[in-house]
Amino acid sequence: MDDETSVSRQTAHAYVESAERRDWEAFAALLAEDVVYEMPQTRERIRGRSAFLRFNMDYPGDWHLTVRRVVADGRHAAAWLDTRVGDERQDACVWFEFSGEGLISRVTDFWPEPYEPPAGREHLVERW
Amino acid sequence: MDDETSVSRQTAHAYVESAERRDWEAFAALLAEDVVYEMPQTRERIRGRSAFLRFNMDYPGDWHLTVRRVVADGRHAAAWLDTRVGDERQDACVWFEFSGEGLISRVTDFWPEPYEPPAGREHLVERW
């Protein structure tokens, strides 16, 4: 169980780091052949290593990814990323599932955008 | 380490479940006195158990929370929630930090909203 968690943790880090380096060979080697990628916000799904690799290789912009946190637990992990394209930065939340061989079998991405807070809670909060 | 992970995992579940039950005594008992709550999307921060408790008790709407996944790792955890207010549902991503006593010392919430996908990747994706 601890070994499984270690492999999941390392693989989640390697996923982000290999994408950041545009090392697509290393990136692809982390993925199960039948990996499924989902973006619930747009209800988009990509099936299979080759389509998912193409999606990442073709992703527009001079994007950069840094791990803020990885939490791994058996065959699951979650990563909180700091992403940048030019001067724009955004957090991302990525959920991973792993196969018995330690390959990434499912990735679920969330891209939470900034918004203005609703009125009525100013007495409880500070802003930064 | 494994014990710490178990406590973190149970506490993350109890946080969601006690909020869903509006059991504010149980909810408060999970929180460190100096808990810090942050919402990076609105750049809002709440400091301290009593203000954070008030924020949750006052949160408007007939909201409901269900855990989709909890990933725990030492003194960290992440929860993927299915949230509903009336007919509207939204995913949420919650990141936890725990004190040495197993109390929640930091909560970071993300509320990713639906959006339309950009053009140009239709050949790689399916929609649901």
Side-chain angles (χ1 to χ4, degrees), chain A residues 70-113:
Chain A
V70 164
V71 179
D73 194 352
R75 291 195 196 172
H76 292 278
W80 171 5
L81 307 186
D82 182 351
T83 78
R84 288 170 199 268
V85 180
D87 289 342
E88 291 209 22
R89 68 163 300 284
Q90 189 175 354
D91 294 293
C93 299
V94 190
W95 298 85
F96 297 97
E97 293 179 33
F98 300 92
S99 72
E101 294 74 41
L103 298 173
I104 297 171
S105 58
R106 184 173 284 266
V107 180
T108 308
D109 252 12
F110 290 102
W111 296 89
E113 302 227 345

Side-chain angles (χ1 to χ4, degrees), chain B residues 38-80:
Chain B
E38 289 188 345
M39 287 174 281
Q41 290 167 278
T42 58
R43 294 169 288 108
E44 288 176 293
R45 182 183 295 116
I46 298 173
R47 291 183 186 277
R49 182 164 51 199
S50 97
F52 184 48
L53 187 59
R54 176 52 56 197
F55 172 77
N56 281 280
M57 293 172 73
D58 290 353
Y59 203 91
D62 180 27
W63 49 267
H64 292 283
L65 311 176
T66 312
V67 168
R68 290 202 55 171
R69 191 175 299 168
V70 165
V71 179
D73 193 352
R75 291 194 195 173
H76 292 279
W80 172 3

